[in-house]
Amino acid sequence: EKYTTIDFSFASSKEFAFLGEIAETIEKGDLDAFTEAVTKWDKTNLMDEWKTKVLLKIKKMIDEEPSLT
């Protein structure tokens, strides 16, 4: 949300929605929802190698972390 004060259009962007969605799945430790959100994003947006690597690291982190709920 910090960046919405820098660029007011960011809050209504698809990128902001995607980041919010994956942040929620990470907080919940929901690997299936995370995978679904990333897959949905990848179908409409080309991800470069860096983004793919970061998302895979996050996925691994969710998978290894015991659920807090």
Side-chain angles (χ1 to χ4, degrees):
E1 293 183 12
K2 168 185 169 183
Y3 298 103
T4 60
T5 60
I6 297 169
D7 180 359
F8 297 110
S9 66
F10 184 59
S12 61
S13 71
K14 61 184 179 182
E15 290 82 1
F16 182 77
F18 173 64
L19 292 173
E21 185 175 1
I22 64 170
E24 185 177 325
T25 65
I26 293 166
E27 288 175 7
K28 291 180 179 179
D30 190 339
L31 183 60
D32 292 334
F34 177 83
T35 302
E36 183 179 327
V38 172
T39 300
K40 184 174 70 173
W41 175 264
D42 192 40
K43 287 182 181 179
T44 58
N45 302 277
L46 182 62
M47 285 197 281
D48 60 29
E49 185 179 344
W50 181 85
K51 290 176 190 141
T52 302
K53 284 182 180 181
V54 169
L55 291 169
L56 285 172
K57 284 181 182 182
I58 293 169
K59 183 177 179 179
K60 185 177 180 183
M61 178 194 71
I62 294 170
D63 193 34
E64 292 175 350
E65 187 70 27
S67 178
L68 299 176
T69 57

